[in-house]
Amino acid sequence: MFKYPKEICIILTYRCNAKCNMCNVWHHPTKASDEITLEDIKKLPSGLRFVNITGGEPFVRQDITEVIDIVRQKTERIVISTNGFFTDKIISLCEKYHDIGIRISIEGMPKTNDTIRGIPDGFDRGLRTLLELRNMGIKDIGFGMTVQDYNCKDLLPLYELSEALNYEFATATLHNSHYFHKLDNKIDNKDIVCGEIAKLAKELLKSNSVKKWFRAYFNFGLINYINGVERLLKCEMGSEACFIDPSGDVLACNGMDEKMPMGNIKKQSFDEIWNSKQAAEVRKAVANCNKQCWMVGSVAPVMKKHIHIPAKWVLKNKLRVMMGKEPDLTLCSKS
């Protein structure tokens, strides 16, 4: 018996109302009739630490509330990643479940965000949704930003806005994979982009929040990744965590260029999939993968498992910042 994962990301749909420049999912929407069902989701293991619900845009699912009804019974915490456009549906769900986390993808200030995401007034809609959630007393809410050439100068202003509104602030950068239907995403001005991320890392280290100190480490990893350096922590996807895609395929991760299912939840039990020969082969592929991805879904589980590694970095650089020095963001490989 292979130990069950602690975290699962459920990709409910590839339907999406956004047309993001770094993601071509909207060119390849799934049919609602083909997507993972409530009965499929019931097969997922219980006792999970964390489940992320994503898409596409998860709130295009008409049964999103029923999905959460099931997932709540299986995990300690749920966060839904959304573009925030379907305000009424988001508010309705959070009226039922006040402990749900909501992360709204905001790619910069208004003009930048709306250009990248291709949703007219998308920034306005997302911010209004967050404000309504705050007025309801929902605590686990915030922004998620994918940093690239076009929006890097908005990184600090958006972080400052999140601070002023007391919202969580998560970051990512460009990746290529079958999931995004993109293999040509790239950052041209690496020094400029990494310079802005470095500024954010310093601000996070200056805060009084331990969580933000560890987010500084994550952002240091983004700098490493952008510069093509080996990731700071070994990837353990397919062991510590996994993905379920809209077709029911159980995937080690969403970062590979080609899709490599471990099995399919529509046809098999989770136990059959997790302990199959096919799953073992996928884990070998993960162990030999050289993409060096640095996404929160694959990094957070190993940060928690090997907490002493980021903690050492955090302690060193928090002390440096307290002494008025710059954090040490020298590129390096895993410890």
Side-chain angles (χ1 to χ4, degrees), residues 211-227:
K211 180 188 287 188
K212 290 177 183 176
W213 303 345
F214 281 87
R215 284 182 178 161
Y217 175 83
F218 177 81
N219 280 277
F220 172 47
L222 290 180
I223 294 172
N224 244 31
Y225 168 73
I226 290 170
N227 283 283

Side-chain angles (χ1 to χ4, degrees), residues 2-241:
F2 200 89
K3 190 176 180 180
Y4 281 164
K6 297 181 177 67
E7 303 187 4
I8 293 179
C9 177
I10 306 174
I11 308 168
L12 286 180
T13 179
Y14 286 142
R15 290 176 284 151
C16 191
N17 60 312
K19 298 178 179 179
C20 300
N21 71 348
M22 66 286 199
C23 175
N24 279 337
V25 162
W26 56 281
H27 282 302
H28 305 272
T30 42
K31 293 181 180 178
S33 59
D34 295 336
E35 291 169 353
I36 189 172
T37 68
L38 300 179
E39 291 303 313
D40 300 327
I41 294 170
K42 287 179 181 178
K43 294 183 181 181
L44 299 183
S46 299
L48 295 165
R49 179 174 60 203
F50 174 73
V51 170
N52 175 231
I53 305 291
T54 188
E57 170 50 51
F59 281 95
V60 303
R61 287 277 299 237
Q62 296 302 309
D63 60 354
I64 182 71
T65 300
E66 290 77 12
V67 169
I68 300 304
D69 289 341
I70 296 168
V71 175
R72 276 179 61 85
Q73 301 173 39
K74 297 179 176 294
T75 185
E76 298 173 12
R77 181 170 178 245
I78 301 171
V79 171
I80 305 177
S81 302
T82 171
N83 58 43
F85 189 83
F86 298 101
T87 304
D88 291 344
K89 293 182 73 174
I90 297 171
I91 297 302
S92 176
L93 178 64
C94 291
E95 284 176 342
K96 184 174 183 180
Y97 295 126
H98 270 55
D99 58 349
I100 295 294
I102 300 290
R103 293 294 179 274
I104 293 182
S105 298
I106 302 286
E107 306 303 343
M109 303 310 282
K111 182 179 178 181
T112 305
N113 175 79
D114 295 356
T115 299
I116 289 175
R117 292 216 146 244
I119 304 177
D121 300 319
F123 180 93
D124 181 75
R125 291 290 289 265
L127 186 58
R128 287 177 184 272
T129 298
L130 285 170
L131 292 172
E132 288 199 40
L133 291 172
R134 175 52 49 80
N135 288 337
M136 291 168 57
I138 308 300
K139 296 180 179 180
D140 192 0
I141 55 176
F143 301 145
M145 179 181 181
T146 301
V147 186
Q148 55 180 284
D149 289 292
Y150 188 78
N151 66 359
C152 67
K153 291 296 183 180
D154 282 2
L155 178 59
L156 264 295
L158 193 62
Y159 169 70
E160 290 165 359
L161 177 61
S162 74
E163 283 290 280
L165 296 172
N166 195 28
Y167 293 157
E168 298 290 328
F169 188 73
T171 50
T173 192
L174 299 180
H175 285 77
N176 293 297
S177 76
H178 69 88
Y179 172 69
F180 300 110
H181 293 276
K182 289 278 285 185
L183 296 176
D184 61 353
N185 279 326
K186 64 175 182 175
I187 289 176
D188 293 315
N189 299 304
K190 294 180 180 180
D191 289 345
I192 293 175
V193 173
C194 290
E196 296 302 312
I197 296 174
K199 292 176 187 176
L200 173 63
K202 182 177 180 180
E203 291 302 311
L204 292 168
L205 287 166
K206 287 165 60 177
S207 79
N208 294 320
S209 166
V210 175
K211 180 188 287 188
K212 290 177 183 176
W213 303 345
F214 281 87
R215 284 182 178 161
Y217 175 83
F218 177 81
N219 280 277
F220 172 47
L222 290 180
I223 294 172
N224 244 31
Y225 168 73
I226 290 170
N227 283 283
V229 179
E230 186 179 7
R231 56 182 282 159
L232 301 171
L233 294 166
K234 182 181 178 181
C235 179
E236 297 186 31
M237 292 302 289
S239 301
E240 289 296 305

